[in-house]
Amino acid sequence: MDSMIAPTPVIDLNADLGEGFGRWALTDDEALLSVVTSANVACGFHAGDPSIMRRVCELAAERGVRIGAQVSYRDLAGFGRRSMDVPAGELAAEVAYQIGALEVFARAAGSRVSYVKPHGALYNRTVHDADQAAAVVAGVRLAAGAGATGGLPVLGLPGSLLLAAAEEAGLAPVAEAFADRAYTPAGTLVPRGEPGAVVHDPEAVVARAVGMAARGEVAAADGSRVAVAARSLCLHGDTPGAAQLARTVREALGAAGVRVEAFA
């Protein structure tokens, strides 16, 4: 009998980039773009401005990194981490606006916007809020209808209403995991306001990344094991030492037999 050979695990590495404004900078974009395969670029609503967006797109295009629109509530003061009750039509228009703005700079750099990922409070809200999830998807489709880009894949939490809405609309849903965020037993992220929501220990982050990519599981905050079926793994760009941590994670994934490859 022929022996069965398990398929090689494949994972995309994404990071939130371009999270500065004017003279203020938060993320080490150039260093991270030498490691990640996908770049979630802030589109001006929670961070980012035209000059930053242009520069990140140019760097990403040079390195062959996929460019994603990281859309957000209009919340510069709160870094997009405050939940807002935005009417569905208005939110759809704002999502399309952000995608279109980034597409200009991506095209100018010889690339294109390859996917969409909500940021912060909008990301978490669309896990369980059907109206807000549908509005984000409507915004992606509105951008496509305006000729800004095609029907883009949507990156989100496994089991979220956002991914369900994307699939129903004919957009590719892409499940994402977080190596540096704590999980609840239900498989959702521990809210940032709670203790231990962010994992700071580099060794723990690396171990969690390998476990998610190679075995499809992670330890929840209560110690239980949670199944995580993800095609993309997020490493937050605003974490201290993010670039070095990302390099270490990528090396560990390779050593574990995981192939690092963009999904889009």
Side-chain angles (χ1 to χ4, degrees), residues 35 44-45 53 83 109 155 164 179 201 241 247:
V35 181
F45 272 38
M53 292 163 68
S83 186
L155 197 59
D201 179 13
R247 281 191 286 270

Side-chain angles (χ1 to χ4, degrees), residues 14-105:
N14 77 74
D16 302 343
L17 302 179
E19 291 185 328
F21 194 83
R23 297 180 63 185
W24 173 68
L26 177 63
T27 49
D28 189 348
D29 298 327
E30 189 158 5
L32 281 164
L33 283 167
S34 67
V35 181
V36 300
T37 47
S38 297
N40 317 317
V41 184
C43 298
F45 272 38
H46 76 280
D49 61 33
S51 294
I52 293 173
M53 292 163 68
R54 180 180 183 183
R55 178 62 176 157
V56 174
C57 285
E58 289 172 346
L59 290 170
E62 288 172 4
R63 290 161 172 75
V65 175
R66 301 296 190 272
I67 296 170
Q70 188 167 41
V71 298
S72 171
Y73 287 125
R74 188 189 293 269
D75 183 27
L76 275 175
F79 197 61
R81 288 182 175 159
R82 299 182 293 190
S83 186
M84 297 181 171
D85 293 321
V86 182
E90 183 178 337
L91 181 57
E94 291 185 344
V95 166
Y97 178 93
Q98 293 174 78
I99 295 169
L102 187 64
E103 181 72 2
V104 168
F105 298 117

Side-chain angles (χ1 to χ4, degrees), residues 1-260:
M1 180 184 294
D2 293 336
S3 60
M4 298 295 291
I5 300 175
T8 301
V10 182
I11 199 76
D12 168 67
L13 286 182
N14 77 74
D16 302 343
L17 302 179
E19 291 185 328
F21 194 83
R23 297 180 63 185
W24 173 68
L26 177 63
T27 49
D28 189 348
D29 298 327
E30 189 158 5
L32 281 164
L33 283 167
S34 67
V35 181
V36 300
T37 47
S38 297
N40 317 317
V41 184
C43 298
F45 272 38
H46 76 280
D49 61 33
S51 294
I52 293 173
M53 292 163 68
R54 180 180 183 183
R55 178 62 176 157
V56 174
C57 285
E58 289 172 346
L59 290 170
E62 288 172 4
R63 290 161 172 75
V65 175
R66 301 296 190 272
I67 296 170
Q70 188 167 41
V71 298
S72 171
Y73 287 125
R74 188 189 293 269
D75 183 27
L76 275 175
F79 197 61
R81 288 182 175 159
R82 299 182 293 190
S83 186
M84 297 181 171
D85 293 321
V86 182
E90 183 178 337
L91 181 57
E94 291 185 344
V95 166
Y97 178 93
Q98 293 174 78
I99 295 169
L102 187 64
E103 181 72 2
V104 168
F105 298 117
R107 294 281 183 179
S111 186
R112 61 185 178 86
V113 173
S114 296
Y115 64 95
V116 176
K117 174 184 173 178
H119 164 81
L122 182 57
Y123 186 98
N124 291 322
R125 183 77 173 264
T126 58
V127 170
H128 57 78
D129 189 316
D131 290 339
Q132 297 281 278
V136 170
V137 169
V140 177
R141 297 185 66 187
L142 177 60
T149 187
L152 296 171
V154 176
L155 197 59
L157 202 68
S160 65
L161 294 183
L162 174 66
L163 294 190
E167 186 170 26
E168 185 177 352
L171 305 176
V174 182
E176 175 184 39
F178 294 81
D180 54 4
R181 289 294 307 278
Y183 279 77
T184 70
T188 58
L189 300 180
V190 173
R192 279 185 175 268
E194 296 184 12
V198 180
V199 181
H200 296 287
D201 179 13
E203 291 186 3
V205 172
V206 172
R208 291 165 70 85
V210 171
M212 291 173 167
R215 298 184 297 278
E217 64 175 19
V218 68
D222 66 352
S224 62
R225 308 304 295 182
V226 177
V228 179
R231 177 61 180 85
S232 188
L233 185 65
C234 180
L235 299 169
H236 283 97
D238 59 349
T239 302
Q244 180 56 51
L245 180 58
R247 281 191 286 270
T248 303
V249 166
R250 182 154 186 170
E251 291 169 358
L253 290 171
V258 178
R259 188 168 79 249
V260 178

